[in-house]
Amino acid sequence: VSPRKSSRTSACGEREARVRLADARAQLQLAELAGGESAPAEIKAAVSSAVLAGMAASDAACCKALGRTNRSQNHRDAVELLGQVAPGGADAAKQLERLLSLKDESQYGFTNLTGPKLQQAIRRAKALVAHAEEVVRR
Amino acid sequence: MGILIGSIMDVAFPHSAVSPTLEGDVLVVLAGTTRPLTGREVARLARRGTQPAVAAALNRLVHQGLVHREEIGSSFLHTLNRDHLAAPAVLVLAGLRTELLERLRAAVGSWEVQPLSAALFGSAARGDGDADSDIDVLVVRPPQVDEDDERWRTQMARLAEDVHAWTGNHASLIEVAEQDLPDLLDARPPVLDSLRTDAIPLTGVPPARLVPDREPA
């Protein structure tokens, strides 16, 4: 057992986990509305929704399993916290890390995102939502 | 730990069938994370038992070597000792609800006559019932399958028997024909809310899409 780092977290539990899981599902549905024919701005908005879905799913899993969720702006802290959920946290954390790498690009970026990037983001968000569903119903 | 043959599954705390004391709840919490937790955090996540009772349970588990405790500053932090001989049994107990879902999915997935939709709902899906709760399963019959179709009836009866054998609980199978779904929406029975918000899809169309929440025209 190593000492815990002082990353910013806040206490939460089963009720918050269910709320964030519902948020994650809703964001994922929004992300899936965009298709191959969508305008670049729509694809970007959809990627942003996929990222938000992944973040909400991560909160849900952490609230249920750890009783805490990340409140730091540092993505690495969120990834590390999700990695502590068992089982499945390590794989979910990898998905979240890759999804978060699209956050700035989709929300503040000046360049367009491609359809394949959106499909990849949706796949990662789906994996995170599935993991959170499993943790929350455990 | 002894297995209580014929015991009923508490749908909120499925591991209680094997480990009915607070130690079981504590172990299931610790199995859910590799993060070291304080006694207070364990008590909060366990959802039942007072903090002193959880602390006493942790003491017993530390004594038996199944839980590691380390003093960090002024706190005592606890983790499941995953190298302990009993740790695999704890992990199985922590995954009983997932195991029930997997068995339900496998059972329905093997049906000769596939339903349009099947889903677990109610307290077993929410995880907030008790040992007297039914295991509620919605099964939507496709329009081309007659209500009295022998293959359909046989697979429904077998599912009810299997669920009872797996859990000790009564399986409440709610069967709806696809053509009767509009009536269900019009009648708006209380079960609709659970289907929309809590249902866990087993196969086919998810219930939230079959019974959307919209005002009748």
Side-chain angles (χ1 to χ4, degrees):
Chain A
V1 178
S2 56
R4 286 191 285 190
K5 294 174 193 162
S6 57
S7 62
R8 280 186 58 207
T9 61
S10 63
C12 52
E14 180 138 9
R15 194 181 63 80
E16 291 85 356
R18 289 181 186 280
V19 171
R20 292 299 279 150
L21 184 54
D23 291 346
R25 289 186 185 124
Q27 289 290 351
L28 183 56
Q29 277 184 358
L30 279 180
E32 287 177 313
L33 287 178
E37 315 249 307
S38 298
E42 289 169 345
I43 289 180
K44 216 161 153 183
V47 171
S48 175
S49 289
V51 172
L52 291 173
M55 291 167 71
S58 172
D59 282 349
C62 289
C63 282
K64 175 68 195 278
L66 317 178
R68 309 204 71 81
T69 190
N70 179 58
R71 281 290 169 262
S72 132
Q73 294 299 314
N74 187 343
H75 293 171
R76 196 176 294 273
D77 291 339
V79 170
E80 193 183 317
L81 200 66
L82 183 60
Q84 294 172 345
V85 174
D91 288 340
K94 279 183 202 153
Q95 301 285 0
L96 181 66
E97 188 172 24
R98 286 164 196 164
L99 200 51
L100 287 174
S101 71
L102 293 171
K103 184 172 183 289
D104 288 351
E105 212 176 340
S106 65
Q107 294 177 357
Y108 318 112
F110 295 108
T111 54
N112 291 330
L113 291 167
T114 60
K117 229 168 201 178
L118 168 61
Q119 293 314 315
Q120 202 178 50
I122 287 175
R123 270 200 304 276
R124 297 195 193 290
K126 272 185 178 165
L128 286 162
V129 170
H131 175 252
E133 282 176 337
E134 198 187 319
V135 172
V136 169
R137 73 173 63 120
R138 208 179 284 152
Chain B
M1 286 195 298
I3 295 176
L4 309 175
I5 302 295
S7 66
I8 290 176
M9 189 180 100
D10 182 329
V11 297
F13 301 93
H15 58 273
S16 296
V18 176
S19 182
T21 60
L22 207 48
E23 275 84 345
D25 298 1
V26 166
L27 287 170
V28 166
V29 167
L30 292 176
T33 179
T34 55
R35 179 185 174 86
L37 300 176
T38 64
R40 183 178 295 198
E41 286 172 327
V42 173
R44 189 160 60 80
L45 287 166
R47 294 186 292 154
R48 62 180 179 183
T50 62
Q51 206 175 310
V54 166
L58 280 167
N59 283 340
R60 287 191 289 274
L61 292 166
V62 168
H63 181 66
Q64 288 162 1
L66 194 48
V67 169
H68 283 318
R69 173 185 282 155
E70 182 152 334
E71 188 173 2
I72 304 289
S74 59
S75 304
F76 288 102
L77 300 178
H78 306 84
T79 46
L80 177 68
N81 172 12
R82 290 170 194 265
D83 294 325
H84 197 282
L85 286 175
V90 172
L91 298 179
V92 169
L93 287 181
L96 288 183
R97 195 188 306 282
T98 304
E99 173 68 18
L100 172 62
L101 276 172
E102 283 173 7
R103 288 195 190 191
L104 283 169
R105 286 192 174 123
V108 175
S110 71
W111 281 6
E112 187 186 348
V113 186
Q114 280 294 301
L116 184 74
S117 167
L120 179 70
F121 70 101
S123 55
R126 290 191 303 273
D128 64 1
D130 56 31
D132 295 322
S133 299
D134 286 352
I135 307 291
D136 299 310
V137 180
L138 170 81
V139 184
V140 181
R141 198 176 66 247
Q144 71 276 16
V145 179
D146 188 79
E147 190 178 358
D148 297 324
D149 184 305
E150 200 175 317
R151 295 167 307 162
W152 179 263
R153 294 265 61 90
T154 302
Q155 60 193 25
M156 288 286 284
R158 188 172 301 144
L159 181 66
E161 284 169 18
D162 283 347
V163 169
H164 185 259
W166 297 336
T167 63
N169 300 57
H170 173 68
S172 174
L173 305 187
I174 308 293
E175 181 180 340
V176 183
E178 190 201 11
Q179 55 270 31
D180 293 336
L181 283 172
D183 293 341
L184 187 74
L185 282 170
D186 287 344
R188 293 201 258 180
V191 73
L192 269 189
D193 285 339
S194 177
L195 283 172
R196 286 170 179 146
T197 56
D198 311 316
I200 300 171
L202 301 174
T203 190
V205 185
R209 247 183 267 167
L210 276 180
V211 287
D213 189 8
R214 63 170 81 105
E215 288 300 311

